Amino acid sequence: YLTKDGWIKRITLEKLGDSIMAYKYINQAIKVDNKYMPAYIFGGEIQRVNYNIDRAIEWLRNGINAAPESPECYGALAKLYRLTKHNIGKAYSILDEMKSHVAEPLVNLEYARFYYDINELPRSFNKYNNTFWNDSLLRNHFTETDLQNYCTSWHAVYNIDKDLITAQKKIVDKRIYDVACYGLRLYPKNVALVRSAFYTLQRLGLNDSAKVYAEKLFVMPNTKFNTLDYLTYAKLYAAMGDLASADKMYREAYAMCMTRTDETRKESENIESAGFLNFLQSQLDILKNDEYVIINEHTRLYSQDYEKKISIAQYYIDRKKSVNRTDYVDELNQLGAALAAKAQSVDSTKMVDVWK
């Protein structure tokens, strides 16, 4: 006799090799407990993989009928309609259907997952935030993916929500750090949670603690680095007065930005979907803004060292020229500002040459 977890492990093994045997165990699991939602979800997943979408829908709908108070099959069915039938209106109607049967916080959790999947990160964050802090028992429903998506969605909101004032951001940063620590106690190797702890501590000015998480992030074997990783580390070094390390990290951030820009542009050449093209364009806009932030912050490290400012700006211009990019107006502006500042600092006999 298998426990519920035992059934699903056996189903998983069978599904990989023989769907007929998988269904044998799926049906036995449902016979033991007809409200066991993972069995219905596995049954639907086998049909989806075999492109029998209507049968997959039928399996998930059977799960909802068996236990309308359980949220799992609603979320799976909404996702199925979105991905296979491209019917987001129907997906929303399925999620709305939950409201009459499922406790509100669990409905919010399913909405948080759905919003995250469709890249509605501010809405996803709000749903995760309300659910996590509503009742400590509800945290048991948060999967590892939920915890990392909750933290990740906040960092997106931090950068795009112009209505949040600094004091509000600090309050949420402290909360998100608590969420990251909670998650890391359960999943100590989760890269997204380590990154979240690093970012929030750096923004809060807790530099020594932030550096511990930064060093951990940069040696984790599964880390896929992004521009913000290097940029945040550069800010941390700058705040700690280690300008040589900050220099290196700003340059690493810029190189990463250029790589991501090139990859995103190439990807957009083969995309026909207008919606996805708009998404890629928004990513390019973010990367362009990151480039501006990097050079602006990097040159600002040296308030009176005009030669250093000039060399940094010239480095970024030469870096773009080396790959035949001509979009270095921001870099030229920084170079011009550094030269203009230098011109004000020299005696009049040399000023004309500097201005030229």
Side-chain angles (χ1 to χ4, degrees):
Y1 179 81
L2 293 175
T3 63
K4 290 182 183 179
D5 287 341
W7 282 119
I8 213 63
K9 287 176 183 176
R10 187 62 184 267
I11 291 167
T12 305
L13 290 172
E14 296 293 349
K15 186 183 73 151
L16 297 175
D18 186 337
S19 61
I20 295 175
M21 287 300 294
Y23 277 117
K24 173 184 173 182
Y25 288 103
I26 287 170
N27 289 324
Q28 286 182 11
I30 291 172
K31 188 175 181 180
V32 171
D33 180 0
N34 77 322
K35 294 187 176 183
Y36 186 42
M37 294 299 102
Y40 295 98
I41 292 172
F42 268 101
E45 178 64 10
I46 293 171
Q47 295 298 330
R48 185 196 68 79
V49 170
N50 290 320
Y51 302 103
N52 298 322
I53 305 306
D54 290 337
R55 286 285 291 130
I57 290 171
E58 186 179 334
W59 267 96
L60 294 173
R61 180 54 69 182
N62 286 342
I64 291 172
N65 293 336
E69 72 281 1
S70 297
E72 295 96 322
C73 282
Y74 292 100
L77 185 55
K79 187 172 184 178
L80 185 66
Y81 267 102
R82 180 177 68 82
L83 292 177
T84 62
K85 290 186 175 290
H86 308 292
N87 190 338
I88 199 164
K90 181 64 175 178
Y92 275 123
S93 74
I94 291 164
L95 293 175
D96 287 340
E97 192 181 326
M98 278 192 296
K99 295 176 181 177
S100 302
H101 307 283
V102 180
E104 182 181 358
L106 295 180
V107 173
N108 287 338
L109 185 55
E110 289 299 332
Y111 268 100
R113 293 165 177 164
F114 189 80
Y115 287 142
Y116 193 91
D117 284 344
I118 62 173
N119 207 43
E120 291 275 357
L121 299 188
R123 299 172 81 179
S124 178
F125 166 73
N126 287 331
K127 293 293 186 182
Y128 273 130
N129 197 41
N130 291 336
T131 307
F132 189 86
W133 299 100
N134 188 285
D135 185 333
S136 59
L137 291 176
L138 290 170
R139 297 175 190 179
N140 296 329
H141 295 273
F142 274 67
T143 64
E144 181 177 2
T145 300
D146 286 325
L147 290 166
Q148 70 180 36
N149 288 353
Y150 178 16
C151 291
T152 302
S153 60
W154 162 242
H155 297 303
V157 171
Y158 188 97
N159 291 312
I160 64 177
D161 192 332
K162 306 303 181 185
D163 294 329
L164 281 173
I165 62 174
T166 302
Q168 291 172 316
K169 287 182 174 181
K170 283 188 174 182
I171 291 171
V172 181
D173 266 337
K174 290 174 182 176
R175 271 189 156 193
I176 293 298
Y177 174 65
D178 288 340
V179 174
C181 289
Y182 171 86
L184 286 170
R185 286 195 293 272
L186 300 171
Y187 314 104
K189 296 182 179 181
N190 187 290
V191 172
L193 296 175
V194 173
R195 177 182 280 123
S196 182
F198 164 38
Y199 285 10
T200 52
L201 288 169
Q202 185 275 324
R203 290 197 294 249
L204 290 168
L206 301 172
N207 297 329
D208 291 336
S209 297
K211 194 167 187 293
V212 171
Y213 284 100
E215 290 172 348
K216 184 175 181 179
L217 176 68
F218 274 73
V219 298
M220 293 182 81
N222 298 323
T223 305
K224 293 182 179 178
F225 294 110
N226 57 50
T227 300
L228 201 52
D229 292 333
Y230 290 100
L231 180 55
T232 306
Y233 213 164
K235 291 178 181 178
L236 179 61
Y237 276 127
M240 299 179 81
D242 185 349
L243 299 190
S245 295
D247 273 338
K248 180 181 177 182
M249 282 296 171
Y250 276 120
R251 292 173 195 240
E252 292 278 5
Y254 196 78
M256 177 65 75
C257 231
M258 292 182 67
T259 300
R260 289 285 184 266
T261 298
D262 187 49
E263 291 173 348
T264 305
R265 282 178 173 163
K266 286 180 179 178
E267 187 177 3
S268 66
E269 292 172 1
N270 301 314
I271 299 296
E272 296 180 0
S273 165
F276 195 58
L277 276 173
N278 289 337
F279 169 73
L280 291 176
Q281 185 56 56
S282 70
Q283 295 302 106
L284 287 171
D285 291 341
I286 290 170
L287 288 165
K288 182 62 180 174
N289 182 68
D290 286 346
E291 289 178 355
Y292 171 78
V293 170
I294 289 164
I295 188 172
N296 189 49
E297 290 188 1
H298 194 178
T299 54
R300 203 168 57 204
L301 285 180
Y302 303 94
S303 56
Q304 301 301 320
D305 190 341
Y306 307 115
E307 295 299 340
K308 187 70 174 176
K309 283 177 177 284
I310 291 166
S311 69
I312 290 170
Q314 190 63 59
Y315 165 80
Y316 287 130
I317 293 169
D318 293 341
R319 185 78 174 76
K320 278 195 172 175
K321 284 183 175 179
S322 71
V323 292
N324 298 318
R325 281 182 60 178
T326 58
D327 56 327
Y328 43 82
V329 174
D330 292 331
E331 291 82 350
L332 282 171
N333 282 332
Q334 289 293 341
L335 178 60
L339 287 164
K342 180 181 177 182
Q344 299 296 334
S345 69
V346 299
D347 62 58
S348 57
T349 59
K350 298 177 181 177
M351 188 179 292
V352 173
D353 290 336
V354 176
W355 275 111
K356 284 183 179 179

